[in-house]
Amino acid sequence: MARIAARAAREALATHTDTSAAHAELAAPHASVTVGSGTARLGLTMDLPYPIDLARASRHVQHYVGERVARLTGMRVTEVTLAIERLVPSNGLEDRRVQ
């Protein structure tokens, strides 16, 4: 289930952003799962490309992963937490300077 969640997180980010240059630098998402009483709680740790609307991207990833894991496993997902490990600049941003 953790592997499904990690893959779904990558899918969610790919469908939400158009920052293919930064994707090469992003570490693979890590997922953890707690299962009990027929429900699952998911925890994700991942990098996000920069610039990005963090709140909107986070909500999208959480919703997408919850729905995808529930659909593929048949378990009800009650919670998806997201920890952003680091922001990875798109190409060219690291060379910009304020004049």
Side-chain angles (χ1 to χ4, degrees), residues 50-65:
Y50 177 82
I52 193 170
D53 181 339
L54 292 175
R56 197 171 99 205
S58 297
R59 283 190 305 271
H60 174 73
V61 168
Q62 288 171 307
H63 178 74
Y64 184 92
V65 170

Side-chain angles (χ1 to χ4, degrees), residues 1-76:
M1 190 176 283
R3 281 196 268 174
I4 292 170
R7 180 170 177 140
R10 280 191 303 271
E11 291 171 3
L13 194 55
T15 62
H16 183 74
T17 62
D18 184 28
T19 55
S20 55
H23 283 281
E25 300 292 324
L26 297 177
H30 297 284
S32 61
V33 180
T34 304
V35 177
S37 303
T39 63
R41 292 182 354 193
L42 308 173
L44 297 169
T45 302
M46 61 190 299
D47 296 347
L48 290 178
Y50 177 82
I52 193 170
D53 181 339
L54 292 175
R56 197 171 99 205
S58 297
R59 283 190 305 271
H60 174 73
V61 168
Q62 288 171 307
H63 178 74
Y64 184 92
V65 170
E67 293 292 320
R68 187 87 167 127
V69 169
R71 189 175 330 115
L72 293 174
T73 65
M75 294 193 77
R76 189 168 69 92

